């Protein structure tokens, strides 16, 4: 009987036990767990605490920025609420039914179920810690070139601004620089708008209290009002360095040709010295130094604010040189009655914002108005017209004397007047008074026939010694016979010594192993048609001269094309007249026209084909020196505009080397071999952001539309003595305040941010377990409990009770 009773009662308690199993997480909760700290934004103060001490520290240590709120959570269990409600409803239903049936212990079991449900819900009370995050204030710092010597004033103002803003309350000052990036420099401007717009996109607008701009007020970009298109609902204040009485003089180029002909005596450029503060000035005189081609310097006195034109021929009698011609214009000093009033530091010169715009360096490229060539074609051959095809263009003047008949081939039956319309004008062409007019002389398949007197060949040799160019082309005509040009004074300058016969053998021209180190070899190798070149069929048996350079070889590796520097001139010799085969695409063709053009360019000293050349380039923030040499690379020496010497070792291969240094100055950079010999060059480096220097006087009007649009203020923060003048600042807690022209207001942030919390259960877990268990024990009938407890000692009492 007792067994049945216990079984019945335990069955009634099964529901309670099931509910208690669901409270395992709540019953096992650690009372000493630290408060939960949610993630917050990276620019906010994060408070990490442990236990009550950490919580109190968090509450007490930042009380000026935070506040706490008491919270009550009546359900924090990880179990689904629907499951808990279902189990609870089942337990309460069974307990209620027991009460209805007036079953013993029903009330106690009902209370046990209630305690279990409370344990499962994990009811808590505690404190949440909230904070008002710092107000974000972006400060835009002008680092553009026009700031110049006023940059320290901007840094001083930024330091003072941080102090002033910090006194208003918690602030997060963001420093954003503009105008100094590579993009701004390469685009020739300040480009504040891009920085302004991109910065605002990244900021949380509900925390921004306003913005400041520390600048000289000079913004140079394609659209100076682009920043007005960027929506910004907070005040933007401008703080401008520089005073209203600043002075600056600069050079303004008004007309400068990019190039000109070397024989044009009327080439000129126009510029003026600009007094930016008083453009109507007429009593100031500028001492100006103008240097042409880094050699000729002239001193001039020019009126300020008046245009002046200067002829190149006045700077250098020889006029423009072929290639790059540098022109440097520099203000030496300003003279006049008013200049003394501009001299605040008593150094004898007007005080200027910057002197970087007192110099301009530019260049004019000198171009030959025309190339004049003298062409003699002798024995007729299929390539006779190749030279004419190459040279006949608008920039080349050619004097051509073709097919000079030797005296022994004249017919007695034909009168001399019928042999030629005019006599050979040797004196007019090759006389000492005329021969230097030509840039190159070409002797194509020509023999010594007596038509040209020996003294004129002597003139040609002297012409080459003085710097002229000579090209000799032929096959059998070059053979060393009594009718060959080798019998004349030209033999002294031959790059190859001819044998006594020609070679009628099929061959394909080949490039020598070291030819690629020479510009002529590289240009020919890269010319169209070189890879598919066809055969030639004749050449002269020749051998190279000691100081010549063989570019191409022919039959049995004999020299075919050789170059020689003779005196100051160049001589090229091609021991074959078969280039026409390439020009006619015979069996694949080749680069026939390119071969003749390259020979002519080298003979005329085209700088592109110099085998020893040192040049400078101004590329991407670097000054790069390119060395072309037939020898191994030697050390070179950079010379900066300030006169600093920097040695460097070029690196490369196949005769092409380079080295570079950082571009840190403006003006003329020079480079030369470390031993000062052979070659040197210069490059003009103007200001990397010249538009910034067109006007360097501080200005409050460019930014004013932005301040007006956002109800901000713009003020000057420095006086003529260079003293910092900080305005008044004020915090604004709501949006009701009106703009004040003398006060720079900041809208302080009022958003709330949860930074920490402390949670504790209403009763410890053991109290729920004790209460629930106690009620469960009390749910058994007292008589049954007594019988169970006494059954081991009074077996006779264990009788079936009377009904």
């Amino acid at each position: 009987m007792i067994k049945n009773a216990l079984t019945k009662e335990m069955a009634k308690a099964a529901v309670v036990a099931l509910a208690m199993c669901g409270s395992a997480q709540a019953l096992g909760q650690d009372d000493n767990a630290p408060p939960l700290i949610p993630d917050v934004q990276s620019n906010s103060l994060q408070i990490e605490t442990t236990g009550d001490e950490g919580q109190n520290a968090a509450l007490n240590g930042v009380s000026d920025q935070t506040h706490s709120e008491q919270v009550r959570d009546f359900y924090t269990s990880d179990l689904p609420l629907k499951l808990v409600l279902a189990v609870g409803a089942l337990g309460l239903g069974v307990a209620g039914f027991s009460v209805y049936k007036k079953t013993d212990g029903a009330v106690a079991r009902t209370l046990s179920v209630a305690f279990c449900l409370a344990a499962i819900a994990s009811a808590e009370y505690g404190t949440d810690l909230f904070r008002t995050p710092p107000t974000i204030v972006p400060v835009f710092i002008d680092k553009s070139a026009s700031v110049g010597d006023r940059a320290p004033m901007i840094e001083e103002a930024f330091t003072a601004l941080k102090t002033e803003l910090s006194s208003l309350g918690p602030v997060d000052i963001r420093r954003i620089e503009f105008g100094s990036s590579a993009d701004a420099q390469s685009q020739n401007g300040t480009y504040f708008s891009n920085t302004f717009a991109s910065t605002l996109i990244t900021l949380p607008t509900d925390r921004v209290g306003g913005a400041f701009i520390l600048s000289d007020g000079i913004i140079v970009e394609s659209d100076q009002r682009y920043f007005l298109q960027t929506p910004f609902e907070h005040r933007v204040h401008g703080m401008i360095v520089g005073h209203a009485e600043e002075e600056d003089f600069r050079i303004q180029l008004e007309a400068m040709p990019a190039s000109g002909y070397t024989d044009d005596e009327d080439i000129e450029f126009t510029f003026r010295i600009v007094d930016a503060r008083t453009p109507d000035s007429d009593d100031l005189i500028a001492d100006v130094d103008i240097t042409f081609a880094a050699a000729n310097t002239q001193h001039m006195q020019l009126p300020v604010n008046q245009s002046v034109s200067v002829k190149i021929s006045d700077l250098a009698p020889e006029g423009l040189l072929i290639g790059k011609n540098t022109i440097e214009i520099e203000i030496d000093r300003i003279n006049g009655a008013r200049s003394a009033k501009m001299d605040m530091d008593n150094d004898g010169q007007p005080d200027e914002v910057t002197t970087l715009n007192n110099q301009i360096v530019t260049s004019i490229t000198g171009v030959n108005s025309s190339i004049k060539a003298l062409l003699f074609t002798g024995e007729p051959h299929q390539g006779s017209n190749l030279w004419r095809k190459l040279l006949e263009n608008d920039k080349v003047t050619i004097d051509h004397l073709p097919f000079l008949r030797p005296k022994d081939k004249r017919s007695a039956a034909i009168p001399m007047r019928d042999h030629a319309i005019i006599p050979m004008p040797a004196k007019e062409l090759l006389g000492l008074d005329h021969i230097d007019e030509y840039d190159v002389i070409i002797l194509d398949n020509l023999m010594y026939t007596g038509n040209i007197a020996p003294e004129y060949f002597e003139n040609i040799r002297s012409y080459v010694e003085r710097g002229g160019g000579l090209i000799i082309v032929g096959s059998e005509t070059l053979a060393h016979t009594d009718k060959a040009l080798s019998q004349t004074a030209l033999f002294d300058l031959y790059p190859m010594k001819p044998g006594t016969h020609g070679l009628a053998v099929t061959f394909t021209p080949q490039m020598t192993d070291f030819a690629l180190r020479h510009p002529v070899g590289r240009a020919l190798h890269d010319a169209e048609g070189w890879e598919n070149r066809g055969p030639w069929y004749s050449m002269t048996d020749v051998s190279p001269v000691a100081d010549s350079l063989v570019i191409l070889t022919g039959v049995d590796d004999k020299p075919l094309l050789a170059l020689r520097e003779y005196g100051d001139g160049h001589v090229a010799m091609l021991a074959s007249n078969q280039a026409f085969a390439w020009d006619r695409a015979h069996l694949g063709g080749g680069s026939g026209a390119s071969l003749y053009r390259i020979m002519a360019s080298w003979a005329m000293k085209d700088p592109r084909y110099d085998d020893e050349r040192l040049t400078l380039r101004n590329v991407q923030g670097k000054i790069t020196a390119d060395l072309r040499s037939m020898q191994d690379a030697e050390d070179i020496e950079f010379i900066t505009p300030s006169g600093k010497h920097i040695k460097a070792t070029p690196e490369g291969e196949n005769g092409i080397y380079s080295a570079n240094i950082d571009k840190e100055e403006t003006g003329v950079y020079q480079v030369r071999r470390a031993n000062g010999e052979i070659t040197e060059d210069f490059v003009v480096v103007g200001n990397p952001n010249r538009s910034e220097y067109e006007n360097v006087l501080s200005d409050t009007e460019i930014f004013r539309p932005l301040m007006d649009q956002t109800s901000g203020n713009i003020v000057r923060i420095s006086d003529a003595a260079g003293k910092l003048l900080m305005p008044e600042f004020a915090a604004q807690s709501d949006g009701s305040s009106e703009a004040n022209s003398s006060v720079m207001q900041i809208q302080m942030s009022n958003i709330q941010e949860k930074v920490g919390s402390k949670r504790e259960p209403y009763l410890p877990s053991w109290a729920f377990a004790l209460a629930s268990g106690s009620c469960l024990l009390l749910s058994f009938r007292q008589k049954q409990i007594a019988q169970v407890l006494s059954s081991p000692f009074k077996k006779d009492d264990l009788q079936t009770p009377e009904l």
Side-chain angles (χ1 to χ4, degrees):
M1 188 68 181
I2 296 176
K3 181 178 180 181
N4 293 335
L6 288 174
T7 302
K8 182 178 179 180
E9 292 301 323
M10 291 303 294
K12 294 179 179 179
V15 175
V16 177
L18 178 63
M20 293 179 67
C21 292
S23 63
Q25 178 184 4
L27 296 176
Q29 184 176 355
D30 184 6
D31 291 338
N32 294 323
L36 301 177
I37 304 296
D39 291 335
V40 294
Q41 296 183 15
S42 60
N43 54 16
S44 300
L45 176 63
Q46 295 193 22
I47 305 175
E48 297 183 2
T49 59
T50 303
D52 294 341
E53 293 183 1
Q55 182 64 28
N56 293 334
L59 292 174
N60 298 329
V62 289
S63 59
D64 57 332
Q65 302 180 35
T66 63
H67 73 276
S68 60
E69 293 183 3
Q70 298 297 322
V71 295
R72 293 175 177 82
D73 295 327
F74 296 102
Y75 186 82
T76 62
S77 174
D78 290 337
L79 294 176
L81 179 60
K82 292 182 179 180
L83 175 61
V84 175
L85 292 176
V87 173
L90 180 59
L92 293 175
V94 173
F97 182 76
S98 298
V99 172
Y100 174 74
K101 291 294 186 179
K102 298 181 179 180
T103 305
D104 293 341
V107 176
R109 284 192 294 272
T110 301
L111 291 176
S112 179
V113 172
F115 281 121
C116 288
L117 291 176
I120 293 173
S122 302
E124 295 179 342
Y125 74 93
T127 302
D128 285 341
L129 184 66
F130 291 88
R131 182 191 65 155
T132 300
T135 301
I136 297 176
V137 181
V139 180
F140 296 90
I141 306 295
D142 192 346
K143 304 292 287 186
S144 61
S146 64
V147 173
D149 296 339
R150 295 173 295 208
M153 177 65 70
I154 287 183
E155 294 301 325
E156 182 182 355
F158 178 66
T159 301
L161 178 62
K162 289 193 297 182
T163 302
E164 294 286 350
L165 294 179
S166 298
S167 67
L168 301 180
V171 291
D172 180 4
I173 300 175
R174 307 286 181 88
R175 177 186 174 112
I176 302 101
E177 297 181 353
F178 67 92
S180 62
S181 66
D183 290 341
Q185 296 288 359
S186 63
Q187 296 177 35
N188 194 23
T190 309
Y191 283 80
F192 163 76
S193 296
N194 294 340
T195 304
F196 185 67
S198 61
T199 299
L200 299 185
I201 293 175
T202 63
L203 298 178
T205 56
D206 56 350
R207 287 185 52 197
V208 176
F212 288 85
I213 302 173
L214 297 182
S215 171
D216 58 0
I218 303 169
I219 302 299
V220 181
E221 47 192 271
S222 56
D223 184 358
Q224 293 190 359
R225 297 295 182 265
Y226 173 73
F227 47 73
L228 295 178
Q229 303 173 16
T230 304
F232 190 58
E233 58 188 30
H234 303 281
R235 288 190 172 95
V236 180
H237 303 291
M239 300 171 64
I240 307 302
V241 295
H243 59 90
E245 300 301 323
E246 290 176 330
E247 289 287 349
D248 183 65
F249 296 89
R250 60 186 173 90
I251 302 172
Q252 177 180 313
L253 281 177
E254 296 183 339
M256 176 65 70
S259 61
Y261 292 123
T262 55
D263 58 354
D264 187 353
E265 297 181 355
D266 295 326
I267 298 176
E268 63 181 16
F269 58 92
T270 304
F271 69 97
R272 70 166 57 196
I273 308 300
V274 178
D275 178 4
R277 178 62 66 185
T278 53
D280 57 346
S281 169
D282 59 356
D283 64 339
L284 296 179
I285 300 296
D287 291 346
V288 179
D289 292 330
I290 304 178
T291 303
F292 177 78
N296 303 311
T297 300
Q298 288 200 15
H299 182 78
M300 298 182 178
Q301 289 189 326
L302 307 175
V304 173
N305 290 319
Q306 294 186 26
S307 298
V308 177
S309 296
V310 178
K311 287 188 176 182
I312 298 296
S313 57
D314 293 336
L315 300 175
E318 64 274 16
L320 285 181
L321 305 176
I322 295 178
K324 184 169 51 182
N325 296 262
T326 305
I327 299 176
E328 298 176 71
I329 308 173
E330 183 175 8
I331 300 175
D332 184 36
R333 63 182 297 114
I334 301 295
N335 305 299
R338 268 195 326 110
S339 64
K341 299 179 181 179
M342 307 176 194
D343 185 10
M344 304 296 294
D345 55 5
N346 297 318
D347 64 350
Q349 281 295 292
D351 297 335
E352 297 188 63
V353 174
T354 180
T355 58
L356 292 177
N357 55 7
N358 286 8
Q359 180 190 44
I360 280 184
V361 184
T362 185
S363 63
I364 301 178
T365 300
V367 180
N368 253 340
S369 57
S370 65
I371 298 173
K372 195 169 184 180
L374 177 59
L375 172 63
F376 292 96
T377 53
E379 292 291 323
H381 66 104
Q382 297 186 60
S384 297
N385 292 327
L386 188 57
W387 282 113
R388 291 193 63 89
K389 287 175 58 178
L390 175 65
L391 297 175
E392 285 180 346
N393 60 65
D394 294 339
K395 293 185 178 181
V396 178
T397 300
I398 181 172
D399 290 336
H400 183 195
L401 280 80
F403 315 133
L404 299 180
R405 177 178 297 180
K407 294 179 180 179
D408 59 354
K409 291 189 177 181
R410 294 174 183 170
S411 173
I414 301 175
M416 284 296 300
R417 64 179 180 273
D418 295 333
H419 279 277
I421 298 177
I422 59 174
M424 163 64 182
K427 183 176 181 181
E428 288 77 7
L429 297 176
L430 301 175
L432 293 178
D433 296 336
H434 303 284
I435 193 171
D436 287 333
E437 297 176 2
Y438 295 101
D439 298 289
V440 62
I441 297 175
I442 304 168
L443 307 179
D444 180 32
N445 222 38
L446 186 68
M447 300 185 68
Y448 178 48
T449 59
N451 299 79
I452 302 176
E455 60 267 23
Y456 293 118
F457 288 107
E458 180 66 32
N459 289 351
I460 295 176
R461 186 185 65 79
S462 299
Y463 158 81
V464 173
E465 280 186 323
R466 294 192 301 271
L470 176 65
I471 299 175
I472 303 172
V473 177
S475 289
E476 293 84 356
T477 55
L478 292 182
H480 188 61
T481 64
D482 57 353
K483 295 182 180 181
L485 293 180
S486 57
Q487 300 295 328
T488 69
L490 298 183
F491 183 73
D492 295 340
L493 47 76
Y494 269 25
M496 298 180 285
K497 292 182 178 180
T500 58
H501 60 281
L503 301 173
V505 181
T506 300
F507 67 95
T508 300
Q510 304 293 328
M511 194 164 292
T512 59
D513 294 337
F514 55 88
L516 287 178
R517 297 181 67 94
H518 196 283
V520 169
R522 286 194 295 270
L524 185 57
H525 182 271
D526 296 338
E528 182 179 358
W530 173 257
E531 294 297 330
N532 300 317
R533 61 196 183 280
W536 289 4
Y537 298 100
S538 68
M539 64 173 289
T540 303
D541 181 18
V542 292
S543 58
V545 175
D547 59 350
S548 66
L549 176 65
V550 178
I551 301 296
L552 298 179
T553 59
V555 179
D556 298 331
D557 293 330
K558 293 181 179 297
L560 177 64
L561 171 62
L563 311 176
R564 186 184 182 189
E565 295 183 9
Y566 184 81
D568 293 331
H570 286 180
V571 181
M573 177 178 283
L574 181 64
S576 177
N577 59 8
Q578 297 287 297
F580 72 89
W582 280 354
D583 189 55
R584 296 180 181 180
H586 173 67
L587 295 181
S591 47
S594 297
L595 172 61
Y596 275 22
R597 181 167 52 252
I598 292 169
M599 282 196 303
S601 298
W602 178 83
M604 290 186 290
K605 297 184 179 181
D606 187 326
R608 295 175 298 172
Y609 298 99
D610 287 348
D611 56 352
E612 296 289 342
R613 190 182 185 198
L614 185 60
T615 58
L616 276 183
R617 291 181 292 127
N618 173 18
V619 181
Q620 296 180 348
K622 298 285 186 179
I623 302 299
T624 300
D626 297 311
L627 174 63
R628 199 159 58 202
S629 176
M630 298 295 294
Q631 311 298 324
D632 292 336
E634 298 178 358
D635 287 348
I636 61 174
E637 190 174 59
F638 293 91
I639 305 174
T640 68
S642 62
K644 182 180 178 181
H645 290 243
I646 304 174
K647 288 188 177 181
T649 301
E651 298 179 354
E653 58 183 6
N654 288 335
I656 300 177
Y657 312 94
S658 65
N660 60 65
I661 61 173
D662 292 331
K663 180 175 61 178
E664 298 178 349
E665 303 176 28
T666 61
V668 177
Y669 282 81
Q670 292 179 297
V671 66
R672 64 188 181 194
R673 296 287 181 89
N675 57 15
E677 299 177 357
I678 304 178
T679 57
E680 63 180 60
D681 193 25
F682 59 88
V683 65
V684 178
V685 179
N687 191 282
N689 204 342
R690 176 154 294 281
S691 61
E692 280 281 324
Y693 287 97
E694 291 181 359
N695 180 19
V696 296
L697 301 182
S698 61
D699 192 351
T700 59
E701 297 306 312
I702 294 178
F703 279 124
R704 190 172 298 279
L706 177 61
M707 283 61 190
D708 292 343
Q709 178 176 286
T710 60
S711 299
N713 298 326
I714 184 167
V715 297
R716 291 185 181 273
I717 58 173
S718 58
D719 59 13
K723 181 181 178 181
L724 181 63
L725 306 174
M726 292 296 289
E728 183 181 352
F729 298 84
Q732 179 183 342
S733 59
D734 54 46
S736 60
S737 298
E738 297 181 355
N740 189 323
S741 60
S742 61
V743 178
M744 295 196 167
Q745 299 177 348
I746 293 296
Q747 176 71 47
M748 303 305 291
S749 173
N750 56 10
I751 65 172
Q752 301 297 308
E753 183 178 81
K754 184 179 178 180
V755 294
S757 63
K758 173 68 174 180
R759 295 289 189 274
E760 292 183 354
Y762 279 92
L763 290 176
S765 57
W766 60 266
F768 282 107
L770 179 61
S772 179
S774 299
C775 291
L776 183 60
L777 290 176
L778 291 174
S779 68
F780 292 99
R781 287 178 294 184
Q782 295 179 358
K783 185 176 181 179
Q784 289 177 335
I785 295 174
Q787 289 176 345
V788 172
L789 294 176
S790 61
S791 60
F793 307 101
K794 297 179 179 180
K795 298 180 179 180
D796 295 340
D797 294 339
L798 300 177
Q799 302 294 328
T800 301
E802 295 180 359
L803 298 175

